Amino acid sequence: MVMDFVRESISLWLEISPYLLLGMFIAGLLHVFLGKEFIARHLGKGGISSVIKATIFGIPLPVCSCGVIPLASSLQKDGAHKSSVLSFLVSTPTTGVDSILATYSLMGALFAIFRPLAALISGIIVGGINYLFEGETEGAKRIPAHKHQKVKIKFRIQEVFRYGFYEIPQDVGKWLLVGTVLGGFISAIIPENLFARYFSFPLDFIIALAVGIPLYVCATGSIPIAVSLISKGFSPGAALVFLIAGPATNAITLSFVRIKLGRRSFYNYLITIIITALLLGMLFNFIWQLLSADPRLITGAGKFLPLWIKIVSGVILFGLITLSLKSQSDGSHMEYNIKIEVPDIHCQHCKITLEGKLSSLTGVEKVYVNVEEKTVNIKGAPDINEVKEEIKKAGYNPI
């Protein structure tokens, strides 16, 4: 049984690795040529058009369930409508260019096409319903356009690889490893067709919601788990319910919506996602049945790649994630003379953003952001007010 667990976990890892590396590279390109400021400039007004824009902008971004929170908070502070923020919170963590390719590698073309469509539909419905209830937000300010500065092509190329192969592995690496291990465990331990025999529709949909809503899982890390659930008898539609609900609804995201956007938006967000996920899951099953329930449509493309490509990619991906996770503790033992609490810090995206912003300030020798303690630690003699102002500009709230 132990060998089965190891074999299944390694198999999942090797099949997802080539496509995930390609997705990371494309994500780096999107980061360099779009970026957060481009998105923020388009979401300052209310209305259905902003809801649609927020949803579309969020789909390709490779940001996890936790990393999307400071982005959403920044959009809200800059005057984005609540409805746009909610749409962004739905579409961004439920998919991304990296997870779309990873979905294709493990779950096939039908899931790879339907998953971003589900994110689009979910984001528009959640934001649209909230807009119908609340209308325009009074006093919402337009987001000022930022002056574009010329950036050397060498820096742009470096930033593509830094973001794609350093920041993204930090953001999703741990959860990808966890998802792969859980997927291998499910494949090795749970008997074949268990769910098909004892938990058919609608029980499999209810189980997918019950597990997905409180669980913290990123769009990429949820894929190996969904694959293993299908292999044990989950219907494809139930797996889609998990892929939608898991990344979009976890304790951290729900707390942010409740505290920052209000009770009405919280209930709208949660209830609409549940209903939409269930309906889309049933629609997916219906479409699959219309296509004669062909198993090839939900069979990962990674199975058809040469073994040597999968092995090389798997080793490279594991090395990138290992190095990125190791770097999280770098600088943690240095003595710092300034400590600032920042409750908005949630993940490695926050860490890299703040360290990059603050390291260029006059008087700063070293910056270390402790994600667990939610603190910014600085060695040097900078102007403390300037430091806090820079943290606020990045979309966070220092204490």
Side-chain angles (χ1 to χ4, degrees):
M1 186 174 293
V2 174
M3 291 305 299
D4 290 339
F5 161 68
V6 173
R7 183 173 59 253
E8 293 291 342
S9 298
I10 292 176
S11 176
L12 288 170
W13 185 264
L14 293 182
E15 288 180 21
I16 201 173
S17 295
Y19 292 90
L20 194 52
L21 288 174
L22 176 61
M24 289 176 174
F25 175 70
I26 297 174
L29 292 173
L30 289 174
H31 168 74
V32 169
F33 292 102
L34 290 183
K36 293 184 292 184
E37 292 183 356
F38 174 85
I39 296 170
R41 288 200 304 271
H42 291 79
L43 304 181
K45 289 184 177 181
I48 298 300
S49 62
S50 285
V51 167
I52 296 174
K53 284 182 180 180
T55 305
I56 293 174
F57 288 158
I59 287 175
L61 294 182
V63 181
C64 70
S65 309
C66 195
V68 72
I69 293 175
L71 291 180
S73 178
S74 177
L75 291 176
Q76 184 202 20
K77 288 183 177 70
D78 286 335
H81 193 275
K82 279 185 181 181
S83 303
S84 301
V85 176
L86 288 175
S87 296
F88 191 77
L89 278 171
V90 173
S91 67
T92 305
T94 53
T95 187
V97 66
D98 55 334
S99 66
I100 292 171
L101 288 170
T103 301
Y104 178 66
S105 70
L106 285 182
M107 307 187 76
L110 191 59
F111 267 107
I113 295 172
F114 202 87
R115 195 179 185 191
L117 285 176
L120 176 67
I121 294 169
S122 301
I124 292 175
I125 290 176
V126 170
I129 290 178
N130 192 81
Y131 179 74
L132 289 176
F133 280 109
E134 297 202 4
E136 296 284 354
T137 302
E138 293 184 5
K141 56 182 179 181
R142 286 187 64 104
I143 301 170
H146 296 269
K147 293 182 179 179
H148 293 282
Q149 300 178 349
K150 292 184 178 180
V151 180
K152 294 181 179 179
I153 187 65
K154 179 181 178 181
F155 174 81
R156 287 181 177 272
I157 295 173
Q158 290 176 342
E159 183 64 10
V160 167
F161 285 92
R162 186 204 66 80
Y163 183 82
F165 298 111
Y166 177 74
E167 183 169 340
I168 291 179
Q170 279 195 334
D171 207 18
V172 306
K174 180 171 66 175
W175 303 111
L176 178 61
L177 289 171
V178 170
T180 303
V181 170
L182 284 176
F185 178 81
I186 293 170
S187 296
I189 301 300
I190 297 178
E192 292 290 335
N193 296 319
L194 173 68
F195 294 110
R197 288 198 302 266
Y198 302 107
F199 301 100
S200 58
F201 179 83
L203 289 178
D204 56 348
F205 277 52
I206 295 173
I207 292 172
L209 280 175
V211 174
I213 288 177
L215 181 68
Y216 178 91
V217 60
C218 68
T220 303
S222 63
I223 299 169
I225 300 174
V227 171
S228 299
L229 290 174
I230 290 176
S231 71
K232 300 306 177 181
F234 251 50
S235 69
L240 182 69
V241 171
F242 175 76
L243 290 173
I244 295 173
T249 58
N250 59 74
I252 296 174
T253 302
L254 293 176
S255 296
F256 170 83
V257 174
R258 175 65 181 85
I259 295 171
K260 296 289 187 178
L261 303 180
R263 181 182 298 178
R264 179 184 295 178
S265 294
F266 168 78
Y267 287 118
N268 166 54
Y269 183 82
L270 181 58
I271 294 172
T272 306
I273 287 178
I274 290 174
I275 295 174
T276 304
L278 292 173
L279 292 176
L280 288 173
M282 289 186 284
L283 177 61
F284 188 89
N285 276 347
F286 176 73
I287 293 174
W288 190 53
Q289 292 296 330
L290 283 181
L291 297 173
S292 303
D294 187 348
R296 292 175 297 180
L297 294 174
I298 58 172
T299 300
K303 295 183 181 296
F304 307 112
L305 289 176
L307 180 60
W308 70 268
I309 291 180
K310 293 192 282 188
I311 292 175
V312 171
S313 300
V315 171
I316 292 174
L317 181 61
F318 185 78
L320 289 172
I321 291 175
T322 301
L323 290 174
S324 67
L325 294 178
K326 182 178 181 297
S327 69
Q328 292 180 12
S329 59
D330 289 350
S332 59
H333 303 295
M334 186 180 292
E335 293 185 4
Y336 298 91
N337 54 301
I338 298 175
K339 176 183 285 190
I340 301 173
E341 293 184 18
V342 185
D344 297 339
I345 294 174
H346 292 289
C347 63
Q348 292 307 308
H349 178 85
C350 310
K351 173 184 172 71
I352 294 172
T353 298
L354 289 173
E355 288 180 354
K357 290 279 189 182
L358 300 178
S359 60
S360 61
L361 294 180
T362 302
V364 173
E365 297 178 21
K366 179 70 177 178
V367 182
Y368 170 65
V369 174
N370 190 313
V371 177
E372 288 73 25
E373 296 181 1
K374 302 184 184 300
T375 58
V376 172
N377 305 274
I378 299 175
K379 181 180 181 181
D383 184 329
I384 190 66
N385 292 324
E386 184 181 2
V387 171
K388 289 187 175 182
E389 185 62 30
E390 195 67 22
I391 293 174
K392 290 179 180 178
K393 288 180 181 178
Y396 300 85
N397 293 304
I399 296 179

